Coordinates of all heavy atoms in Angstrom, one line a residue:
G16 N -5.5 1.5 -3.7 CA -4.4 2.4 -4.1 C -3.9 1.9 -5.5 O -4.4 1.1 -6.1
K17 N -2.7 2.4 -5.9 CA -2.1 2.1 -7.1 C -1.1 1.0 -7.0 O -0.1 1.3 -6.2 CB -1.4 3.4 -7.8 CG -2.5 4.4 -8.2 CD -1.7 5.6 -8.9 CE -2.0 6.8 -8.0 NZ -1.3 7.9 -8.5
Y18 N -1.2 0.0 -7.6 CA -0.3 -1.2 -7.6 C 0.6 -1.2 -8.8 O 0.1 -1.4 -10.0 CB -1.1 -2.5 -7.6 CG -1.8 -2.8 -6.2 CD1 -2.9 -2.1 -5.9 CD2 -1.3 -3.6 -5.3 CE1 -3.6 -2.2 -4.7 CE2 -1.8 -3.8 -4.1 CZ -3.1 -3.1 -3.7 OH -3.6 -3.3 -2.6
L19 N 1.9 -1.1 -8.6 CA 2.9 -1.3 -9.7 C 3.3 -2.8 -9.5 O 3.8 -3.3 -8.6 CB 4.1 -0.4 -9.4 CG 5.2 -0.5 -10.5 CD1 4.7 -0.3 -11.8 CD2 6.4 0.4 -10.2
R20 N 2.9 -3.6 -10.6 CA 3.2 -4.9 -10.6 C 4.1 -5.3 -11.7 O 3.9 -4.9 -12.9 CB 1.8 -5.7 -11.0 CG 0.8 -5.5 -9.8 CD -0.5 -6.4 -10.0 NE -1.3 -6.4 -8.8 CZ -2.3 -5.8 -8.6 NH1 -2.9 -5.2 -9.6 NH2 -3.0 -5.9 -7.4
I21 N 5.1 -6.1 -11.2 CA 6.2 -6.5 -12.2 C 6.2 -8.0 -12.2 O 6.2 -8.7 -11.1 CB 7.5 -6.0 -11.7 CG1 7.6 -4.5 -11.7 CG2 8.7 -6.5 -12.6 CD1 8.7 -3.8 -10.9
Y22 N 6.2 -8.7 -13.3 CA 6.1 -10.1 -13.5 C 7.4 -10.5 -14.1 O 7.8 -10.0 -15.1 CB 4.9 -10.5 -14.3 CG 3.5 -10.1 -13.7 CD1 2.9 -8.9 -14.1 CD2 2.9 -10.8 -12.7 CE1 1.8 -8.6 -13.6 CE2 1.7 -10.6 -12.3 CZ 1.2 -9.5 -12.7 OH 0.0 -9.0 -12.0
I23 N 8.1 -11.5 -13.4 CA 9.3 -12.0 -13.9 C 9.3 -13.4 -14.0 O 8.4 -14.2 -13.4 CB 10.6 -11.6 -13.1 CG1 10.3 -12.0 -11.6 CG2 10.8 -10.0 -13.1 CD1 11.4 -11.7 -10.6
D24 N 10.2 -14.2 -14.8 CA 10.2 -15.6 -15.0 C 11.6 -15.9 -15.3 O 12.5 -15.1 -15.7 CB 9.3 -15.9 -16.2 CG 8.7 -17.4 -16.0 OD1 9.2 -18.1 -15.0 OD2 8.1 -17.8 -16.8
K25 N 11.9 -17.3 -15.3 CA 13.1 -17.8 -15.8 C 12.8 -19.3 -16.1 O 11.7 -19.8 -15.7 CB 14.2 -17.8 -14.7 CG 14.0 -18.5 -13.4 CD 15.1 -18.3 -12.5 CE 14.9 -19.0 -11.2 NZ 15.9 -18.8 -10.2
P26 N 13.5 -19.9 -16.9 CA 13.3 -21.3 -17.4 C 12.9 -22.2 -16.4 O 12.0 -23.1 -16.5 CB 14.5 -21.6 -18.1 CG 15.2 -20.4 -18.6 CD 14.8 -19.3 -17.5
E27 N 13.6 -22.3 -15.2 CA 13.3 -23.2 -14.2 C 12.2 -22.8 -13.2 O 12.0 -23.5 -12.2 CB 14.6 -23.7 -13.4 CG 15.3 -22.4 -12.7 CD 16.3 -21.8 -13.6 OE1 16.3 -21.9 -14.9 OE2 17.1 -20.9 -13.1
G28 N 11.6 -21.6 -13.5 CA 10.6 -21.1 -12.6 C 11.2 -20.2 -11.6 O 12.3 -20.1 -11.2
I29 N 10.3 -19.2 -11.2 CA 10.6 -18.2 -10.3 C 10.3 -18.6 -8.8 O 9.3 -19.2 -8.6 CB 9.8 -16.9 -10.5 CG1 10.5 -16.2 -11.9 CG2 9.9 -15.9 -9.4 CD1 11.9 -15.7 -11.6
T30 N 11.2 -18.4 -7.9 CA 11.0 -18.7 -6.5 C 10.6 -17.4 -5.7 O 10.8 -16.3 -6.2 CB 12.2 -19.4 -5.9 OG1 13.2 -18.3 -5.9 CG2 12.6 -20.6 -6.7
L31 N 10.2 -17.5 -4.6 CA 9.9 -16.5 -3.7 C 11.2 -15.8 -3.4 O 11.1 -14.4 -3.4 CB 9.3 -17.0 -2.3 CG 8.7 -15.9 -1.3 CD1 7.8 -15.0 -2.0 CD2 8.2 -16.4 -0.1
D32 N 12.3 -16.4 -3.2 CA 13.5 -15.7 -3.0 C 14.0 -14.8 -4.3 O 14.5 -13.8 -4.2 CB 14.7 -16.7 -2.8 CG 14.6 -17.3 -1.3 OD1 13.9 -16.8 -0.5 OD2 15.2 -18.4 -1.2
D33 N 13.6 -15.3 -5.4 CA 13.9 -14.6 -6.7 C 13.0 -13.3 -6.6 O 13.6 -12.2 -7.0 CB 13.5 -15.3 -7.9 CG 14.4 -16.6 -8.2 OD1 15.6 -16.6 -7.8 OD2 13.9 -17.6 -8.8
C34 N 11.7 -13.4 -6.3 CA 10.9 -12.1 -6.2 C 11.5 -11.2 -5.2 O 11.4 -10.0 -5.4 CB 9.5 -12.6 -6.0 SG 8.7 -13.5 -7.2
E35 N 11.8 -11.7 -4.1 CA 12.3 -10.8 -3.0 C 13.7 -10.1 -3.5 O 13.8 -8.9 -3.2 CB 12.6 -11.6 -1.7 CG 13.2 -10.7 -0.6 CD 13.4 -11.6 0.7 OE1 13.2 -12.7 0.7 OE2 13.9 -10.9 1.7
K36 N 14.6 -10.9 -4.1 CA 15.8 -10.3 -4.6 C 15.6 -9.2 -5.6 O 16.1 -8.2 -5.5 CB 16.6 -11.4 -5.2 CG 18.0 -11.0 -5.7 CD 18.7 -12.2 -6.2 CE 20.2 -11.8 -6.8 NZ 20.8 -13.0 -7.3
Y37 N 14.7 -9.4 -6.5 CA 14.3 -8.5 -7.6 C 13.6 -7.2 -6.9 O 13.9 -6.1 -7.2 CB 13.4 -9.1 -8.6 CG 13.2 -8.1 -9.7 CD1 13.9 -8.3 -10.9 CD2 12.2 -7.2 -9.8 CE1 13.8 -7.5 -12.0 CE2 12.0 -6.4 -10.9 CZ 12.8 -6.6 -12.0 OH 12.6 -5.6 -13.0
H38 N 12.7 -7.4 -6.0 CA 12.0 -6.4 -5.3 C 12.9 -5.4 -4.5 O 12.9 -4.2 -4.7 CB 10.9 -6.9 -4.3 CG 10.1 -5.9 -3.7 ND1 10.4 -5.1 -2.7 CD2 8.7 -5.8 -4.0 CE1 9.4 -4.4 -2.3 NE2 8.4 -4.7 -3.2
R39 N 13.9 -6.1 -3.8 CA 14.8 -5.3 -3.0 C 15.7 -4.5 -3.9 O 16.1 -3.3 -3.6 CB 15.7 -6.1 -2.1 CG 14.9 -6.7 -0.9 CD 15.8 -7.6 -0.1 NE 15.1 -8.2 0.9 CZ 14.8 -7.8 2.2 NH1 15.4 -6.6 2.5 NH2 14.2 -8.5 3.0
A40 N 16.0 -4.9 -5.1 CA 17.0 -4.4 -6.0 C 16.2 -3.2 -6.8 O 16.7 -2.2 -7.1 CB 17.6 -5.3 -7.0
I41 N 14.9 -3.4 -7.2 CA 14.3 -2.5 -8.1 C 13.6 -1.4 -7.2 O 13.4 -0.2 -7.8 CB 13.2 -3.2 -9.0 CG1 12.8 -2.3 -10.2 CG2 12.0 -3.5 -8.2 CD1 13.9 -2.0 -11.1
Q42 N 13.2 -1.6 -6.1 CA 12.4 -0.6 -5.3 C 13.2 0.7 -5.2 O 12.7 1.8 -5.5 CB 12.1 -1.1 -3.9 CG 11.2 -0.1 -3.0 CD 10.7 -0.7 -1.8 OE1 11.4 -1.7 -1.2 NE2 9.6 -0.2 -1.2
P43 N 14.5 0.9 -4.8 CA 15.2 2.1 -4.7 C 15.2 2.8 -6.1 O 15.2 4.1 -6.1 CB 16.6 1.8 -4.3 CG 16.5 0.4 -3.8 CD 15.4 -0.4 -4.5
Q44 N 15.2 2.1 -7.2 CA 15.3 2.8 -8.5 C 13.9 3.4 -8.9 O 13.8 4.2 -9.7 CB 15.6 1.7 -9.5 CG 17.0 1.3 -9.4 CD 17.3 0.2 -10.4 OE1 17.0 0.4 -11.6 NE2 17.9 -1.0 -10.1
L45 N 12.8 3.0 -8.1 CA 11.4 3.4 -8.5 C 10.9 4.3 -7.4 O 9.7 4.6 -7.6 CB 10.6 2.3 -8.8 CG 11.0 1.3 -9.8 CD1 10.0 0.1 -9.9 CD2 11.1 1.9 -11.2

């Protein structure tokens, strides 16, 4: 299938919780 991949970062490094938080927030917008 088609994979929409979003890569995020922050100075102290991205955690799984950060990815989940971003995913839950962006999914309804897309």
